[in-house]
């Protein structure tokens, strides 16, 4: 997956806020271990606002494809995420983040819409070890609740390289009759304003019964990001 980011400096007299934007293309778009493009490329764009107080907001968009080969098209071709949140440091070691995300899939018929809301909270220790929980009362527009539990860690390596690892348990049994787990390991190297990363993603077998074999299982995602 390739990602290009654009940072826009705050205006004079507005040092308490900063803007950034991004544009990119990737080999895949995965969400909680599951491909959102059936293993195909994705184009992303975003705009972000951060305030010195800790509040933030962003809008993010990508193309999507949830329809396996040979099945009728469900009408979903794009995703737009709108979010607001608040993050702060508690002390020298601990930081927290709470947020609300609205996932939108414009252009779909109302009777099959996947739109849903999610509340999430994260805590990080020493900027290295993190835990996240997220709750939706209508995951994928199903009317059934979901819960995400995720553990993550990041380690600084030589040559401006970082290792990110994560393990998540996504309980969507109310909507799909099953839960699944996923794991991720990503190596990212920064070269000035450019970052290149390679991610290995895998899901447990139960994910296949929910989303099909074309979107689940093992996959590798390549990312290129340029910030300015």
């Amino acid at each position: 997956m390739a990602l290009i980011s654009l940072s826009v400096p705050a205006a004079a007299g507005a040092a308490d806020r900063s803007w950034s934007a991004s544009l990119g293309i990737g080999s895949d778009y995965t969400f909680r271990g599951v491909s959102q493009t059936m293993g195909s490329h994705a184009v992303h764009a975003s705009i972000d606002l951060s305030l010195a107080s800790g509040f933030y907001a962003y809008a993010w968009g990508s193309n999507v494809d949830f329809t396996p080969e040979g099945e009728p098209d469900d009408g979903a071709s794009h995703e737009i995420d709108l979010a607001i949140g608040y993050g702060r440091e508690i002390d020298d070691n601990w930081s927290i983040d709470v947020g609300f995300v609205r996932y939108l899939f414009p252009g779909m018929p109302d009777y099959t819409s996947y739109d849903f809301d999610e509340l999430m909270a994260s805590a990080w220790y020493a900027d290295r070890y993190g835990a996240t929980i997220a709750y939706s009362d209508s995951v994928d527009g199903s009317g059934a609740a979901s819960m995400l539990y995720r553990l993550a860690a990041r380690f600084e390596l030589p040559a401006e390289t970082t290792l990110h690892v994560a393990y998540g348990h996504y309980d969507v049994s109310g909507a799909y009759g099953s839960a699944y787990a996923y794991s991720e390991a990503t190596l990212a190297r920064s070269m000035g304003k450019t970052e290149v990363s390679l991610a290995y993603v895998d899901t447990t077998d139960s994910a296949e019964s929910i989303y099909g074999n074309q979107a689940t299982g093992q996959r590798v995602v390549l990312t290129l990001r340029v910030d300015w």
Side-chain angles (χ1 to χ4, degrees):
M1 183 186 298
L3 181 63
I4 300 174
S5 297
L6 171 65
S7 296
V8 182
D16 62 335
R17 65 178 182 269
S18 62
W19 293 87
S20 64
S22 70
L23 176 66
I25 183 170
S27 63
D28 201 346
Y29 160 32
T30 61
F31 179 73
R32 295 171 186 170
V34 177
S35 175
Q36 308 296 285
T37 55
M38 289 294 161
S40 298
H41 74 280
V43 176
H44 316 276
S46 71
I47 184 168
D48 306 76
L49 170 65
S50 299
L51 304 181
S53 61
F55 288 98
Y56 63 84
Y58 68 79
W60 182 92
S62 175
N63 61 294
V64 296
D65 181 6
F66 302 124
T67 306
E69 293 181 5
E71 294 192 9
D73 187 10
D74 60 6
S77 60
H78 297 85
E79 174 186 344
I80 297 175
D81 302 344
L82 305 176
I84 57 173
Y86 176 76
R88 60 165 296 179
E89 295 182 352
I90 301 299
D91 56 29
D92 290 342
N93 288 317
W94 288 96
S95 61
I96 60 169
D97 188 297
V98 294
F100 169 85
V101 184
R102 174 70 171 167
Y103 301 92
L104 299 169
F105 301 89
M108 294 188 68
D110 291 340
Y111 60 86
T112 59
S113 175
Y114 298 150
D115 296 357
F116 71 103
D117 302 325
E118 192 170 61
L119 293 169
M120 58 181 63
S122 300
W124 282 87
Y125 176 76
D127 199 31
R128 174 172 291 184
Y129 306 105
T132 299
I133 58 173
Y135 168 79
S136 174
D137 63 354
S138 182
V139 62
D140 297 337
S142 65
S146 67
M147 284 292 303
L148 169 74
Y149 308 91
R150 182 176 183 266
L151 298 175
R154 51 195 178 206
F155 305 94
E156 298 297 328
L157 304 177
E160 299 294 325
T161 302
T162 306
L163 172 64
H164 303 261
V165 294
Y167 176 84
H169 177 83
Y170 199 19
D171 185 354
V172 289
S173 55
Y176 302 110
S178 181
Y180 74 95
Y182 65 95
S183 54
E184 301 171 334
T186 304
L187 274 175
R189 185 182 181 191
S190 297
M191 297 171 288
K193 295 183 178 181
T194 301
E195 182 183 86
V196 178
S197 65
L198 188 66
Y200 170 80
V201 183
D202 195 11
T203 57
T204 54
D205 292 343
S206 54
E208 182 177 342
S209 65
I210 302 171
Y211 302 108
N213 60 9
Q214 193 174 344
T216 58
Q218 303 177 23
R219 63 191 60 242
V220 175
V221 181
L222 178 65
T223 302
L224 170 66
R225 189 180 73 209
V226 180
D227 300 312
W228 70 95

